[in-house]
Amino acid sequence: MTGPQSKTCATCGRVIAAHAVYYRFSLVLEGEQDLLDPSADLEGNPAEALAELVRRLDEGSADPGELEAQVHWERTGVVCSECRSVAVRMLSTPADDTGPH
């Protein structure tokens, strides 16, 4: 029987020793968009607005796989303590902070 195996940090690539603390993560990013703006449709017909949206999607040149990649992304793995600290700091910023961009 062998002991615990070392792991590799998914962020920095550093080897995490078998006896060191590591952190498992699961991250899911799901894109959303409110496609029908009710304020724009108050005078119009909501059914017509939906039909127009479907028509634009049908006529679009985007590959379905590409569209899926834009709205759903998942990753799981382990990170070292240094990368965990960076992630927690980045994801804990106040809402009024404009962030990295």
Coordinates of all heavy atoms in Angstrom, one line a residue:
M1 N 0.8 -1.2 0.0 CA 0.0 0.0 0.0 C 0.9 1.2 0.0 O 1.8 1.4 0.8 CB -0.9 0.0 1.2 CG -1.8 1.1 1.3 SD -3.0 0.8 2.7 CE -4.0 2.2 2.4
T2 N 0.6 2.2 -0.9 CA 1.4 3.4 -1.0 C 0.7 4.5 -0.2 O -0.5 4.5 0.0 CB 1.6 3.8 -2.4 OG1 0.3 4.1 -3.0 CG2 2.3 2.7 -3.2
G3 N 1.5 5.5 0.2 CA 0.9 6.7 0.9 C 0.3 7.7 -0.1 O 0.2 7.4 -1.2
P4 N 0.0 8.8 0.5 CA -0.6 9.9 -0.4 C 0.3 10.3 -1.5 O 1.5 10.4 -1.3 CB -0.9 11.0 0.6 CG -0.6 10.5 2.0 CD 0.1 9.2 1.9
Q5 N -0.2 10.6 -2.6 CA 0.6 11.1 -3.7 C 0.6 12.6 -3.7 O -0.3 13.3 -3.3 CB -0.1 10.6 -5.0 CG -0.2 9.1 -5.2 CD 1.1 8.5 -5.5 OE1 1.9 9.1 -6.2 NE2 1.4 7.4 -4.9
S6 N 1.7 13.1 -4.2 CA 1.8 14.6 -4.4 C 0.8 15.0 -5.5 O 0.4 14.3 -6.3 CB 3.2 15.0 -4.7 OG 3.6 14.5 -6.0
K7 N 0.4 16.3 -5.4 CA -0.6 16.8 -6.3 C 0.1 18.1 -7.0 O 1.0 18.6 -6.5 CB -1.8 17.2 -5.6 CG -2.5 16.0 -5.0 CD -3.7 16.4 -4.2 CE -4.5 15.2 -3.6 NZ -3.8 14.0 -3.4
T8 N -0.5 18.5 -8.1 CA 0.0 19.7 -8.8 C -1.1 20.8 -8.7 O -2.3 20.5 -9.0 CB 0.3 19.3 -10.3 OG1 1.2 18.3 -10.3 CG2 0.8 20.6 -11.0
C9 N -0.7 22.0 -8.4 CA -1.7 23.1 -8.3 C -2.2 23.4 -9.7 O -1.4 23.6 -10.7 CB -0.9 24.3 -7.7 SG -2.0 25.8 -7.6
A10 N -3.5 23.5 -9.8 CA -4.1 23.8 -11.1 C -3.9 25.2 -11.6 O -4.0 25.5 -12.8 CB -5.6 23.5 -11.0
T11 N -3.4 26.1 -10.7 CA -3.2 27.5 -11.1 C -1.8 27.8 -11.5 O -1.5 28.2 -12.5 CB -3.7 28.4 -10.0 OG1 -5.1 28.2 -9.8 CG2 -3.5 29.9 -10.4
C12 N -0.9 27.5 -10.5 CA 0.5 27.8 -10.8 C 1.4 26.7 -11.2 O 2.5 26.9 -11.6 CB 1.1 28.5 -9.5 SG 1.3 27.3 -8.1
G13 N 0.9 25.5 -11.1 CA 1.6 24.3 -11.6 C 2.6 23.8 -10.6 O 3.3 22.8 -10.9
R14 N 2.7 24.4 -9.4 CA 3.6 23.9 -8.4 C 3.2 22.6 -7.8 O 2.0 22.3 -7.7 CB 3.6 24.9 -7.2 CG 4.6 24.7 -6.1 CD 4.6 25.8 -5.1 NE 3.4 25.9 -4.3 CZ 3.4 25.4 -3.1 NH1 4.5 25.0 -2.5 NH2 2.3 25.5 -2.4
V15 N 4.2 21.7 -7.6 CA 3.9 20.4 -7.0 C 3.6 20.6 -5.5 O 4.4 21.3 -4.8 CB 5.1 19.4 -7.2 CG1 4.9 18.1 -6.5 CG2 5.3 19.2 -8.7
I16 N 2.5 20.1 -5.1 CA 2.1 20.1 -3.7 C 2.5 18.8 -3.0 O 2.1 17.8 -3.4 CB 0.6 20.4 -3.6 CG1 0.2 21.6 -4.3 CG2 0.2 20.5 -2.1 CD1 -1.4 21.7 -4.5
A17 N 3.4 18.9 -2.0 CA 3.9 17.7 -1.4 C 2.8 16.9 -0.8 O 1.7 17.5 -0.4 CB 4.9 18.2 -0.2
A18 N 3.0 15.6 -0.7 CA 1.9 14.7 -0.2 C 1.4 15.1 1.2 O 0.3 14.9 1.5 CB 2.4 13.3 -0.3
H19 N 2.3 15.6 2.0 CA 1.9 15.9 3.4 C 1.4 17.3 3.5 O 0.9 17.7 4.6 CB 3.1 15.7 4.3 CG 4.2 16.7 4.0 ND1 5.1 16.5 3.0 CD2 4.5 17.9 4.6 CE1 6.0 17.5 3.0 NE2 5.6 18.4 3.9
A20 N 1.5 18.2 2.5 CA 1.0 19.6 2.6 C -0.5 19.7 2.4 O -1.1 18.9 1.8 CB 1.7 20.4 1.5
V21 N -1.0 20.8 3.0 CA -2.4 21.1 2.8 C -2.7 21.6 1.4 O -1.9 22.3 0.8 CB -2.8 22.2 3.8 CG1 -4.3 22.6 3.6 CG2 -2.6 21.7 5.3
Y22 N -3.7 21.1 0.8 CA -4.2 21.5 -0.5 C -5.7 21.8 -0.5 O -6.3 21.4 0.5 CB -3.8 20.5 -1.6 CG -4.5 19.2 -1.4 CD1 -5.7 18.9 -2.0 CD2 -3.9 18.2 -0.7 CE1 -6.3 17.7 -1.9 CE2 -4.5 16.9 -0.5 CZ -5.7 16.7 -1.1 OH -6.4 15.5 -1.0
Y23 N -6.2 22.5 -1.5 CA -7.6 22.9 -1.5 C -8.2 22.4 -2.7 O -7.8 22.7 -3.8 CB -7.7 24.4 -1.3 CG -7.0 24.9 -0.1 CD1 -5.7 25.2 0.0 CD2 -7.8 25.0 1.1 CE1 -5.1 25.6 1.2 CE2 -7.2 25.5 2.3 CZ -5.9 25.7 2.3 OH -5.3 26.1 3.5
R24 N -9.3 21.7 -2.6 CA -10.1 21.2 -3.8 C -11.0 22.4 -4.1 O -11.6 23.1 -3.3 CB -10.9 20.0 -3.4 CG -10.1 18.8 -3.2 CD -11.0 17.5 -3.1 NE -10.2 16.4 -2.9 CZ -9.5 15.8 -3.9 NH1 -9.6 16.2 -5.1 NH2 -8.8 14.7 -3.7
F25 N -11.2 22.5 -5.5 CA -12.2 23.5 -5.9 C -13.0 23.0 -7.0 O -12.7 22.0 -7.7 CB -11.5 24.8 -6.4 CG -10.7 24.7 -7.7 CD1 -11.4 24.9 -8.9 CD2 -9.4 24.2 -7.7 CE1 -10.7 24.8 -10.1 CE2 -8.7 24.1 -8.9 CZ -9.4 24.4 -10.1
S26 N -14.2 23.6 -7.2 CA -15.1 23.3 -8.3 C -15.7 24.6 -8.7 O -16.3 25.3 -7.8 CB -16.2 22.3 -7.8 OG -17.1 22.1 -8.9
L27 N -15.5 25.0 -9.9 CA -15.9 26.4 -10.4 C -16.8 26.2 -11.6 O -16.4 25.5 -12.5 CB -14.7 27.2 -10.7 CG -14.9 28.6 -11.2 CD1 -15.7 29.5 -10.1 CD2 -13.6 29.3 -11.5
V28 N -17.9 26.8 -11.5 CA -18.9 26.8 -12.7 C -19.2 28.2 -13.0 O -19.7 29.0 -12.1 CB -20.1 26.0 -12.3 CG1 -21.1 26.0 -13.5 CG2 -19.8 24.5 -12.0
L29 N -19.0 28.6 -14.2 CA -19.4 29.9 -14.7 C -20.5 29.7 -15.7 O -20.4 29.0 -16.7 CB -18.2 30.6 -15.4 CG -17.0 30.9 -14.5 CD1 -15.9 31.5 -15.3 CD2 -17.4 31.8 -13.3
E30 N -21.7 30.3 -15.5 CA -22.8 30.2 -16.3 C -23.3 31.6 -16.8 O -23.6 32.4 -15.9 CB -24.0 29.5 -15.6 CG -23.6 28.0 -15.3 CD -24.7 27.3 -14.6 OE1 -25.6 28.0 -13.9 OE2 -24.8 26.1 -14.7
G31 N -23.2 31.8 -18.1 CA -23.7 33.1 -18.6 C -25.2 33.2 -18.7 O -25.9 32.2 -18.9
E32 N -25.7 34.4 -18.4 CA -27.1 34.6 -18.5 C -27.3 36.0 -19.1 O -26.4 36.9 -19.0 CB -27.7 34.6 -17.1 CG -27.7 33.3 -16.4 CD -28.4 33.3 -15.1 OE1 -29.2 34.3 -14.8 OE2 -28.3 32.4 -14.3
Q33 N -28.4 36.2 -19.8 CA -28.8 37.4 -20.4 C -30.3 37.5 -20.4 O -31.0 36.6 -20.8 CB -28.2 37.6 -21.8 CG -28.5 38.9 -22.4 CD -27.9 39.0 -23.8 OE1 -27.4 38.0 -24.4 NE2 -27.9 40.1 -24.4
D34 N -30.8 38.6 -20.0 CA -32.2 38.9 -20.1 C -32.5 39.3 -21.5 O -32.3 40.5 -21.9 CB -32.7 39.9 -19.1 CG -32.6 39.4 -17.7 OD1 -32.6 38.2 -17.5 OD2 -32.4 40.2 -16.8
L35 N -33.0 38.4 -22.4 CA -33.1 38.7 -23.8 C -34.3 39.6 -24.1 O -34.2 40.4 -25.1 CB -33.2 37.4 -24.6 CG -31.9 36.6 -24.5 CD1 -32.1 35.2 -25.2 CD2 -30.7 37.3 -25.2
L36 N -35.3 39.4 -23.4 CA -36.5 40.3 -23.7 C -36.6 41.3 -22.7 O -36.9 41.1 -21.5 CB -37.8 39.4 -23.7 CG -37.8 38.3 -24.8 CD1 -39.1 37.5 -24.7 CD2 -37.7 38.9 -26.2
D37 N -36.4 42.6 -23.1 CA -36.6 43.7 -22.2 C -38.0 44.1 -22.1 O -38.6 44.6 -23.1 CB -35.7 44.9 -22.7 CG -35.8 46.1 -21.8 OD1 -36.4 46.0 -20.7 OD2 -35.1 47.1 -22.2
P38 N -38.7 43.8 -21.0 CA -40.1 44.1 -20.9 C -40.4 45.6 -21.1 O -41.5 45.9 -21.6 CB -40.5 43.7 -19.4 CG -39.3 43.1 -18.8 CD -38.1 43.3 -19.7
S39 N -39.5 46.5 -20.7 CA -39.8 47.9 -20.9 C -39.9 48.3 -22.4 O -40.7 49.2 -22.8 CB -38.8 48.8 -20.3 OG -37.5 48.6 -20.8
A40 N -39.2 47.6 -23.3 CA -39.2 47.8 -24.7 C -40.4 47.2 -25.3 O -40.8 47.6 -26.4 CB -37.9 47.3 -25.3
D41 N -41.0 46.3 -24.7 CA -42.2 45.5 -25.3 C -43.5 46.0 -24.7 O -44.5 45.3 -25.0 CB -42.0 44.0 -25.1 CG -40.8 43.5 -25.8 OD1 -40.5 44.0 -26.9 OD2 -40.2 42.6 -25.3
L42 N -43.6 47.0 -23.9 CA -44.8 47.4 -23.2 C -45.8 47.8 -24.3 O -47.0 47.5 -24.2 CB -44.6 48.6 -22.3 CG -43.9 48.2 -21.0 CD1 -43.6 49.4 -20.1 CD2 -44.6 47.1 -20.2
E43 N -45.4 48.4 -25.4 CA -46.3 48.9 -26.4 C -46.5 47.8 -27.5 O -47.4 47.8 -28.3 CB -45.8 50.2 -27.1 CG -45.7 51.3 -26.1 CD -47.0 51.7 -25.5 OE1 -48.1 51.7 -26.3 OE2 -47.1 52.1 -24.4
G44 N -45.5 46.8 -27.6 CA -45.5 45.8 -28.6 C -46.1 44.5 -28.2 O -46.7 44.4 -27.1
N45 N -46.0 43.5 -29.0 CA -46.5 42.2 -28.7 C -45.3 41.3 -28.2 O -44.4 41.1 -29.0 CB -47.1 41.7 -30.0 CG -47.7 40.3 -29.8 OD1 -47.4 39.6 -28.9 ND2 -48.6 40.0 -30.8
P46 N -45.4 40.8 -27.0 CA -44.3 39.9 -26.5 C -44.1 38.7 -27.4 O -43.0 38.3 -27.5 CB -44.8 39.5 -25.1 CG -45.8 40.6 -24.7 CD -46.4 41.0 -26.0
A47 N -45.1 38.1 -27.9 CA -45.0 37.0 -28.8 C -44.2 37.3 -30.1 O -43.4 36.6 -30.5 CB -46.4 36.4 -29.2
E48 N -44.4 38.5 -30.6 CA -43.7 39.0 -31.8 C -42.2 39.2 -31.4 O -41.3 38.9 -32.2 CB -44.3 40.2 -32.4 CG -45.6 40.0 -33.1 CD -46.2 41.3 -33.6 OE1 -45.5 42.4 -33.6 OE2 -47.3 41.3 -34.0
A49 N -42.0 39.7 -30.2 CA -40.6 40.0 -29.8 C -39.8 38.6 -29.7 O -38.7 38.5 -30.1 CB -40.6 40.7 -28.5
L50 N -40.5 37.6 -29.1 CA -39.9 36.3 -29.0 C -39.6 35.7 -30.4 O -38.6 35.1 -30.6 CB -40.8 35.4 -28.2 CG -40.3 34.0 -27.9 CD1 -38.9 34.0 -27.2 CD2 -41.3 33.2 -27.1
A51 N -40.6 35.8 -31.3 CA -40.4 35.3 -32.6 C -39.2 36.0 -33.3 O -38.5 35.3 -34.0 CB -41.7 35.5 -33.4
E52 N -39.1 37.3 -33.1 CA -37.9 38.0 -33.7 C -36.6 37.5 -33.1 O -35.6 37.3 -33.9 CB -38.1 39.5 -33.5 CG -36.9 40.3 -33.9 CD -36.6 40.3 -35.4 OE1 -37.5 39.9 -36.2 OE2 -35.5 40.7 -35.7
L53 N -36.6 37.2 -31.8 CA -35.4 36.7 -31.2 C -35.0 35.3 -31.8 O -33.9 35.1 -32.1 CB -35.6 36.6 -29.7 CG -34.5 36.0 -28.9 CD1 -33.2 36.8 -29.0 CD2 -34.9 35.8 -27.5
V54 N -36.0 34.5 -31.9 CA -35.8 33.1 -32.5 C -35.3 33.2 -33.9 O -34.3 32.5 -34.3 CB -37.0 32.3 -32.4 CG1 -36.9 31.0 -33.2 CG2 -37.4 32.0 -30.9
R55 N -35.8 34.2 -34.7 CA -35.4 34.4 -36.1 C -33.9 34.8 -36.1 O -33.1 34.3 -36.9 CB -36.3 35.4 -36.8 CG -35.9 35.6 -38.2 CD -36.6 36.8 -38.9 NE -36.2 38.1 -38.2 CZ -35.1 38.7 -38.4 NH1 -34.2 38.2 -39.2 NH2 -34.8 39.8 -37.9
R56 N -33.5 35.7 -35.2 CA -32.1 36.2 -35.2 C -31.2 35.1 -34.8 O -30.1 35.0 -35.4 CB -32.0 37.4 -34.3 CG -32.5 38.7 -34.8 CD -32.2 39.8 -33.9 NE -32.7 39.5 -32.6 CZ -32.9 40.4 -31.6 NH1 -32.6 41.6 -31.8 NH2 -33.5 40.0 -30.5
L57 N -31.6 34.2 -33.9 CA -30.7 33.1 -33.5 C -30.6 32.1 -34.6 O -29.5 31.6 -34.8 CB -31.3 32.5 -32.2 CG -31.2 33.3 -30.9 CD1 -31.9 32.6 -29.8 CD2 -29.7 33.5 -30.6
D58 N -31.7 31.8 -35.3 CA -31.7 30.9 -36.4 C -30.8 31.4 -37.6 O -30.1 30.6 -38.2 CB -33.1 30.6 -37.0 CG -33.9 29.7 -36.1 OD1 -33.3 29.0 -35.2 OD2 -35.1 29.7 -36.2
E59 N -30.8 32.7 -37.8 CA -30.0 33.3 -38.9 C -28.6 33.5 -38.5 O -27.7 33.8 -39.4 CB -30.6 34.6 -39.4 CG -32.0 34.4 -40.1 CD -32.6 35.7 -40.4 OE1 -32.1 36.8 -40.1 OE2 -33.7 35.7 -41.1
G60 N -28.3 33.4 -37.3 CA -26.9 33.7 -36.8 C -25.9 32.7 -37.3 O -26.3 31.5 -37.7
S61 N -24.7 33.0 -37.4 CA -23.6 32.1 -38.0 C -22.9 31.4 -36.9 O -21.9 30.7 -37.2 CB -22.7 33.0 -38.8 OG -22.0 34.0 -38.0
A62 N -23.2 31.6 -35.6 CA -22.5 31.0 -34.5 C -22.7 29.5 -34.5 O -23.8 29.0 -34.7 CB -22.9 31.6 -33.2
D63 N -21.6 28.8 -34.2 CA -21.6 27.3 -34.1 C -22.3 27.0 -32.7 O -21.9 27.7 -31.7 CB -20.2 26.8 -34.1 CG -20.1 25.4 -33.7 OD1 -20.9 24.6 -34.1 OD2 -19.0 25.1 -33.1
P64 N -23.2 26.1 -32.6 CA -23.8 25.8 -31.3 C -22.8 25.5 -30.2 O -23.0 25.8 -29.1 CB -24.7 24.6 -31.6 CG -25.0 24.7 -33.1 CD -23.8 25.3 -33.7
G65 N -21.7 24.8 -30.6 CA -20.7 24.4 -29.6 C -20.0 25.7 -29.0 O -19.7 25.8 -27.9
E66 N -19.8 26.7 -29.9 CA -19.2 27.9 -29.5 C -20.1 28.7 -28.6 O -19.7 29.3 -27.6 CB -18.9 28.8 -30.8 CG -18.2 30.1 -30.5 CD -17.9 30.9 -31.8 OE1 -17.5 30.2 -32.8 OE2 -18.2 32.1 -31.8
L67 N -21.4 28.7 -28.9 CA -22.4 29.4 -28.1 C -22.4 28.8 -26.7 O -22.5 29.5 -25.7 CB -23.8 29.3 -28.7 CG -24.0 30.2 -30.0 CD1 -25.4 29.9 -30.6 CD2 -23.9 31.7 -29.6
E68 N -22.4 27.4 -26.6 CA -22.4 26.7 -25.4 C -21.1 27.1 -24.6 O -21.2 27.3 -23.4 CB -22.4 25.2 -25.6 CG -22.3 24.4 -24.3 CD -23.5 24.5 -23.4 OE1 -24.6 24.9 -23.8 OE2 -23.3 24.1 -22.2
A69 N -20.0 27.2 -25.2 CA -18.7 27.5 -24.5 C -18.8 28.9 -23.9 O -18.2 29.2 -22.9 CB -17.6 27.4 -25.5
Q70 N -19.6 29.8 -24.6 CA -19.7 31.2 -24.1 C -20.6 31.3 -22.8 O -20.5 32.2 -22.1 CB -20.3 32.1 -25.1 CG -19.3 32.3 -26.3 CD -20.0 33.2 -27.4 OE1 -21.0 33.8 -27.1 NE2 -19.4 33.1 -28.6
V71 N -21.5 30.3 -22.6 CA -22.4 30.4 -21.5 C -22.2 29.4 -20.4 O -22.8 29.5 -19.4 CB -23.9 30.4 -22.0 CG1 -24.2 31.5 -22.9 CG2 -24.2 29.0 -22.6
H72 N -21.3 28.4 -20.6 CA -21.1 27.4 -19.6 C -19.7 26.9 -19.6 O -19.2 26.5 -20.6 CB -22.0 26.2 -19.8 CG -22.0 25.3 -18.6 ND1 -22.8 25.4 -17.5 CD2 -21.2 24.2 -18.4 CE1 -22.5 24.4 -16.7 NE2 -21.5 23.7 -17.2
W73 N -19.0 27.0 -18.4 CA -17.6 26.6 -18.3 C -17.5 26.0 -16.9 O -18.0 26.6 -15.9 CB -16.7 27.8 -18.5 CG -15.2 27.5 -18.4 CD1 -14.4 27.1 -19.4 CD2 -14.4 27.7 -17.2 NE1 -13.1 26.9 -18.9 CE2 -13.1 27.3 -17.6 CE3 -14.6 28.1 -15.9 CZ2 -12.0 27.3 -16.7 CZ3 -13.6 28.1 -15.0 CH2 -12.3 27.7 -15.4
E74 N -16.8 24.9 -16.8 CA -16.6 24.2 -15.5 C -15.1 23.8 -15.4 O -14.5 23.4 -16.4 CB -17.4 22.9 -15.4 CG -18.9 23.2 -15.3 CD -19.7 21.9 -15.1 OE1 -19.2 21.0 -14.4 OE2 -20.8 21.8 -15.5
R75 N -14.7 23.8 -14.2 CA -13.3 23.3 -13.9 C -13.3 22.9 -12.4 O -13.8 23.5 -11.5 CB -12.3 24.4 -14.1 CG -10.9 23.9 -13.9 CD -9.9 24.5 -14.8 NE -8.6 23.9 -14.5 CZ -7.5 24.6 -14.6 NH1 -7.5 25.9 -14.8 NH2 -6.3 24.0 -14.3
T76 N -12.6 21.8 -12.2 CA -12.3 21.3 -10.9 C -10.9 20.9 -10.7 O -10.2 20.8 -11.7 CB -13.2 20.0 -10.6 OG1 -12.8 19.0 -11.5 CG2 -14.6 20.2 -10.7
G77 N -10.4 20.9 -9.5 CA -9.0 20.5 -9.3 C -8.6 20.9 -7.9 O -9.4 21.0 -7.0
V78 N -7.3 21.0 -7.7 CA -6.7 21.4 -6.4 C -5.8 22.6 -6.6 O -5.2 22.7 -7.7 CB -5.9 20.2 -5.7 CG1 -6.9 19.0 -5.4 CG2 -4.8 19.7 -6.6
V79 N -5.6 23.4 -5.6 CA -4.7 24.5 -5.6 C -3.9 24.5 -4.3 O -4.3 24.0 -3.3 CB -5.5 25.9 -5.8 CG1 -6.1 26.0 -7.1 CG2 -6.5 26.1 -4.7
C80 N -2.7 25.1 -4.4 CA -1.9 25.3 -3.2 C -2.4 26.4 -2.3 O -3.3 27.2 -2.7 CB -0.4 25.6 -3.7 SG -0.2 27.1 -4.5
S81 N -1.9 26.6 -1.2 CA -2.4 27.6 -0.2 C -2.1 29.0 -0.8 O -3.0 29.9 -0.5 CB -1.7 27.4 1.1 OG -0.3 27.5 1.0
E82 N -1.0 29.2 -1.5 CA -0.8 30.6 -2.0 C -1.9 31.0 -3.1 O -2.4 32.1 -3.0 CB 0.6 30.7 -2.6 CG 1.7 30.7 -1.6 CD 2.1 29.3 -1.2 OE1 1.6 28.3 -1.7 OE2 3.0 29.2 -0.4
C83 N -2.2 30.0 -4.0 CA -3.2 30.3 -5.0 C -4.6 30.4 -4.4 O -5.4 31.2 -4.8 CB -3.1 29.2 -6.1 SG -1.6 29.4 -7.1
R84 N -4.8 29.6 -3.3 CA -6.1 29.7 -2.6 C -6.3 31.1 -2.1 O -7.3 31.7 -2.2 CB -6.2 28.7 -1.5 CG -7.5 28.8 -0.7 CD -7.3 28.4 0.7 NE -8.5 28.6 1.5 CZ -8.8 29.7 2.2 NH1 -7.9 30.7 2.2 NH2 -9.9 29.8 2.8
S85 N -5.2 31.7 -1.5 CA -5.3 33.0 -0.9 C -5.6 34.1 -2.0 O -6.5 35.0 -1.8 CB -4.0 33.4 -0.2 OG -3.8 32.5 0.9
V86 N -5.0 33.9 -3.1 CA -5.3 34.9 -4.2 C -6.7 34.8 -4.7 O -7.4 35.8 -4.9 CB -4.3 34.6 -5.4 CG1 -4.7 35.4 -6.6 CG2 -2.9 34.9 -5.0
A87 N -7.2 33.5 -4.9 CA -8.6 33.3 -5.4 C -9.6 33.9 -4.4 O -10.5 34.5 -4.8 CB -8.8 31.8 -5.6
V88 N -9.4 33.6 -3.1 CA -10.3 34.1 -2.1 C -10.3 35.6 -2.0 O -11.4 36.2 -2.0 CB -10.0 33.5 -0.7 CG1 -10.7 34.2 0.4 CG2 -10.2 32.0 -0.7
R89 N -9.2 36.2 -2.1 CA -9.1 37.7 -2.1 C -9.8 38.2 -3.3 O -10.5 39.2 -3.2 CB -7.6 38.1 -2.1 CG -7.4 39.5 -1.8 CD -5.9 39.9 -1.5 NE -5.0 39.4 -2.4 CZ -4.1 38.4 -2.2 NH1 -4.0 37.9 -1.0 NH2 -3.2 38.0 -3.1
M90 N -9.5 37.6 -4.5 CA -10.1 38.1 -5.7 C -11.7 38.0 -5.7 O -12.4 38.9 -6.1 CB -9.6 37.4 -6.9 CG -10.1 37.8 -8.3 SD -9.5 36.9 -9.7 CE -10.2 35.3 -9.4
L91 N -12.2 36.8 -5.2 CA -13.6 36.6 -5.2 C -14.3 37.2 -4.1 O -15.5 37.2 -4.0 CB -13.8 35.1 -5.3 CG -13.4 34.4 -6.5 CD1 -13.5 32.9 -6.4 CD2 -14.1 34.9 -7.8
S92 N -13.6 37.8 -3.1 CA -14.2 38.4 -2.0 C -14.2 39.9 -2.1 O -14.5 40.6 -1.1 CB -13.5 38.0 -0.7 OG -13.5 36.6 -0.5
T93 N -13.8 40.5 -3.2 CA -13.8 42.0 -3.3 C -15.2 42.5 -3.3 O -16.2 41.9 -3.7 CB -13.1 42.4 -4.7 OG1 -13.9 41.8 -5.7 CG2 -11.7 42.0 -4.7
P94 N -15.3 43.8 -2.7 CA -16.6 44.4 -2.6 C -17.3 44.6 -4.0 O -16.6 44.7 -5.0 CB -16.3 45.8 -2.0 CG -15.0 45.6 -1.4 CD -14.2 44.6 -2.2
A95 N -18.6 44.5 -4.0 CA -19.3 44.7 -5.3 C -19.1 46.0 -6.0 O -19.2 46.0 -7.2 CB -20.8 44.5 -5.0
D96 N -18.7 47.1 -5.2 CA -18.5 48.3 -5.9 C -17.1 48.5 -6.5 O -16.8 49.4 -7.2 CB -18.8 49.5 -4.9 CG -17.9 49.5 -3.7 OD1 -17.3 48.4 -3.4 OD2 -17.8 50.5 -3.0
D97 N -16.3 47.5 -6.3 CA -14.9 47.4 -6.9 C -15.1 47.1 -8.3 O -15.8 46.1 -8.7 CB -14.1 46.4 -6.1 CG -12.6 46.5 -6.6 OD1 -12.3 47.3 -7.5 OD2 -11.8 45.6 -6.1
T98 N -14.4 47.8 -9.2 CA -14.5 47.5 -10.6 C -13.7 46.3 -11.0 O -13.8 45.8 -12.2 CB -14.1 48.7 -11.5 OG1 -12.7 49.0 -11.1 CG2 -15.0 49.9 -11.3
G99 N -12.9 45.8 -10.2 CA -12.2 44.5 -10.4 C -11.0 44.7 -11.3 O -10.5 45.8 -11.5
P100 N -10.6 43.6 -11.9 CA -9.3 43.6 -12.7 C -9.4 44.2 -14.1 O -8.4 44.4 -14.7 CB -9.0 42.1 -12.8 CG -10.3 41.4 -12.7 CD -11.1 42.3 -11.8
H101 N -10.6 44.5 -14.5 CA -10.7 45.1 -15.9 C -11.2 46.4 -16.0 O -11.5 47.2 -15.2 CB -11.5 44.1 -16.8 CG -12.8 43.7 -16.2 ND1 -14.0 44.2 -16.4 CD2 -13.0 42.6 -15.3 CE1 -14.9 43.6 -15.8 NE2 -14.4 42.6 -15.1

